Amino acid sequence: MSKRKGKETHMPIGECITQVQSILRARFCSQQLPERPKEMESQHKHLLELLRRTAVHGESNSVLIVGPRAAGKTMLLNSVLRELLEEKEVQKNLLQVHLNGLLQTDDRIALKEITRQLHLENVVGEKVFGSFAENLVFLLEALKKGDRSSSRPVLFILDEFDLFAHHKNQTLLYNLLDVSQSAQTPVAVVGLTCRLDILELLEKRVKSRFSHRQIHLLSSLNFQLYLGRVQAQLSLPDSFPDTKFAREWNSSVKTLCKDKAVEGVLQRQFNSSKDFRSLHALLMLCLSRVTVANPSIKPADLLDASSLCMADAKANILHGLSILELCLIIAMKHLNDTYDGEPFNLQMVYNEFKKFLQRKSRSIYNFDQPVVMKAFEHLQQLELIRPVDSSVAKTQHEYQLMRLMLDHCQIMEALQKYPQCPTDVRQWGMSAFG
């Protein structure tokens, strides 16, 4: 017993908390995932073989990894790349270009990013190219050291692949797949997407150059596995310097995951998104509450973090509206109820608001029409309402058709939480029809 005690090192609580923050923040911020995906051996083997043929033998390929969010598409690709780059020959030669449809929103931005990642800014310099294809071919030619056998293979990874299909003429996809099909440079194009109908989005000329290889993944994650992963994400490793603190921390995490209120929060999170990126955002908020005075994560911390993550941005905007703007939102709600969601205009909203004033005989809400119009415009700027057809410029502003971008529940919640909301306004909002 004394020997084991002698081996244990005890650190001040402040240093332990600093270490906890450092370890877990690194885990959440770098989106650390399991090194090897389970139950994906055949997909792993298939993808590894494809990429090895490009990296080692100079054979061009294209493949799509298709599956729902949190199915493990990125994890599968990363594990294959990790295994592939362990081979020295591959490590020296293989070039990688990572593009994301959410970031590279058009082909010009994508080409700029390809140039940056291949470190060819100096080679391109001030050169002017006639077309996208010429520019891309020039970039790939610049990588060559001699004949095809000595050309460095390039791996293009296109995350959110379906968004690239919305680029004008699908120029980027066409040229990448065209290069991968021709004998110019060894290129592998790997697309990651959630869309099962992705091939239907591709133009005929793009589809004809795609190999039609698809690797499908299905999410086998259930809530019990999800709970286990939450516990694993929050637990400290065996290598933690203070073993006693690590034991106590891991024990508190185990207790936390068994709490009924916490299970309810995590069940809602699981139902809304099984993606570990959103889970890491939630756990990061919990971790920010850990201090010397509060050296473990409590159920209340998780509940508060969940309410912040799940907060409805539009409902929060409603809390900051003026009484007039809130009245206009209620008038729109009643118009939606009466006319079954049909669009409305400012004049209709103003008439509905006047009906409320006549019933209540309250001069306190008696605003002139220009003031009401200004409030209406402010609601449009906040994007709580939007024009049905923004191209219609000739229509007078008060007769332009609009749609309410809020649902019934958001308005009801705002009325309940609105600070010092007048009783008659609340009652008007709660009533079935205006």
Side-chain angles (χ1 to χ4, degrees):
M1 188 77 177
S2 59
K3 284 183 182 178
R4 195 180 74 179
K5 276 188 177 177
K7 286 180 183 177
E8 286 187 357
T9 54
H10 296 291
M11 295 160 50
I13 186 73
E15 284 185 32
C16 287
I17 296 299
T18 303
Q19 288 274 1
V20 168
Q21 293 276 3
S22 176
I23 292 167
L24 296 188
R25 280 176 188 274
R27 190 180 291 171
F28 301 152
C29 292
S30 60
Q31 305 291 342
Q32 287 182 9
L33 298 167
E35 288 193 3
R36 184 71 179 264
K38 295 176 182 177
E39 301 171 1
M40 293 184 193
E41 284 77 12
S42 61
Q43 293 96 326
H44 185 276
K45 188 179 177 183
H46 184 189
L47 186 59
L48 180 62
E49 185 58 34
L50 275 175
L51 297 187
R52 183 179 278 125
R53 290 211 297 264
T54 301
V56 178
H57 305 297
E59 179 187 311
S60 292
N61 282 303
S62 56
V63 63
L64 282 174
I65 304 173
V66 184
R69 298 210 181 275
K73 299 184 293 295
T74 304
M75 183 168 61
L76 172 67
L77 180 61
N78 287 344
S79 70
V80 166
L81 287 175
R82 201 180 299 116
E83 191 171 330
L84 195 62
L85 291 170
E86 284 173 3
E87 301 174 25
K88 284 187 178 178
E89 187 184 348
V90 174
Q91 201 172 19
K92 287 178 184 176
N93 288 327
L94 185 66
L95 296 169
Q96 295 180 44
V97 175
H98 294 258
L99 302 176
N100 190 306
L102 294 168
L103 300 175
Q104 282 75 50
T105 51
D106 63 43
D107 292 340
R108 184 184 57 80
I109 298 170
L111 195 62
K112 206 171 181 180
E113 184 61 15
I114 292 169
T115 308
R116 188 189 69 80
Q117 290 190 33
L118 293 176
H119 306 293
L120 294 174
E121 296 96 334
N122 293 337
V123 178
V124 174
E126 298 297 319
K127 288 184 175 66
V128 178
F129 297 93
S131 67
F132 182 94
E134 287 175 20
N135 203 334
L136 183 64
V137 167
F138 176 80
L139 289 176
L140 296 174
E141 286 288 332
L143 298 172
K144 290 188 178 182
K145 295 185 290 185
D147 60 357
R148 177 175 167 76
S149 61
S150 62
S151 295
R152 295 186 70 178
V154 187
L155 171 61
F156 287 93
I157 296 165
L158 276 62
D159 211 346
E160 305 290 349
F161 183 86
D162 49 290
L163 296 182
F164 289 100
H166 297 301
H167 288 195
K168 188 182 178 184
N169 300 328
Q170 298 183 358
T171 309
L172 174 72
L173 295 182
Y174 172 76
N175 283 284
L176 286 179
L177 294 172
D178 188 52
V179 169
S180 74
Q181 200 181 53
S182 63
Q184 298 174 30
T185 305
V187 163
V189 180
V190 179
L192 290 85
T193 182
C194 300
R195 294 283 297 263
L196 290 172
D197 62 343
I198 182 61
L199 292 182
E200 303 303 315
L201 300 178
L202 300 180
E203 290 180 3
K204 193 174 179 181
R205 63 180 189 141
V206 177
K207 201 185 292 186
S208 67
R209 282 160 176 77
F210 175 54
S211 67
H212 288 260
R213 288 191 188 93
Q214 292 186 59
I215 296 174
H216 286 269
L217 302 180
L218 294 172
S219 180
S220 58
L221 189 67
N222 59 39
F223 183 61
Q224 288 309 313
L225 280 171
Y226 187 80
L227 266 181
R229 291 194 184 177
V230 170
Q231 188 175 325
Q233 290 291 302
L234 285 173
S235 296
L236 294 175
D238 295 335
S239 57
F240 192 79
D242 191 326
T243 48
K244 181 174 180 291
F245 180 88
R247 277 200 306 273
E248 289 172 358
W249 174 274
N250 290 345
S251 174
S252 72
V253 167
K254 200 172 181 180
T255 307
L256 178 78
C257 291
K258 288 180 180 175
D259 187 279
K260 291 295 175 188
V262 168
E263 276 194 20
V265 167
L266 292 175
Q267 182 73 63
R268 282 200 304 276
Q269 181 77 18
F270 177 76
N271 292 341
S272 65
S273 172
K274 298 174 180 64
D275 192 343
F276 278 88
R277 282 165 283 212
S278 60
L279 173 65
H280 285 155
L282 174 69
L283 297 181
M284 182 67 95
L285 285 172
C286 298
L287 183 63
S288 65
R289 290 169 170 254
V290 175
T291 59
V292 174
N294 179 36
S296 63
I297 298 173
K298 304 286 192 301
D301 298 332
L302 198 68
L303 291 169
D304 290 346
S306 175
S307 64
L308 279 172
C309 283
M310 298 286 189
D312 189 325
K314 284 185 178 175
N316 287 343
I317 290 173
L318 290 176
H319 303 159
L321 296 181
S322 66
I323 284 291
L324 171 59
E325 289 163 346
L326 186 64
C327 286
L328 295 183
I329 291 286
I330 294 169
M332 294 169 199
K333 167 194 168 285
H334 287 309
L335 287 170
N336 267 359
D337 293 343
T338 309
Y339 298 109
D340 198 24
E342 287 295 310
F344 52 82
N345 58 37
L346 172 58
Q347 195 59 49
M348 292 166 70
V349 173
Y350 186 58
N351 291 341
E352 190 71 23
F353 180 46
K354 280 202 295 188
K355 284 183 200 173
F356 165 67
L357 296 182
Q358 287 163 5
R359 282 200 308 274
K360 295 298 173 185
S361 320
R362 293 283 295 269
S363 59
I364 190 170
Y365 305 128
N366 213 353
F367 298 98
D368 294 333
Q369 191 160 357
V371 178
V372 174
M373 186 180 286
K374 195 71 179 172
F376 191 83
E377 286 172 358
H378 186 230
L379 294 175
Q380 188 177 344
Q381 287 168 359
L382 293 172
E383 297 184 2
L384 298 177
I385 56 174
R386 70 168 178 80
V388 172
D389 187 358
S390 55
S391 63
V392 180
K394 292 180 181 178
T395 311
Q396 286 184 23
H397 188 69
E398 56 266 39
Y399 296 109
Q400 190 178 13
L401 289 176
M402 296 280 185
R403 283 197 189 280
L404 181 61
M405 305 308 291
L406 297 161
D407 61 34
H408 182 86
C409 298
Q410 288 172 315
I411 298 169
M412 291 298 102
E413 185 190 339
L415 282 171
Q416 294 290 348
K417 294 183 178 177
Y418 191 89
Q420 299 175 342
C421 182
T423 307
D424 50 0
V425 172
R426 184 178 280 118
Q427 286 173 349
W428 181 41
M430 297 293 184
S431 61
F433 293 97

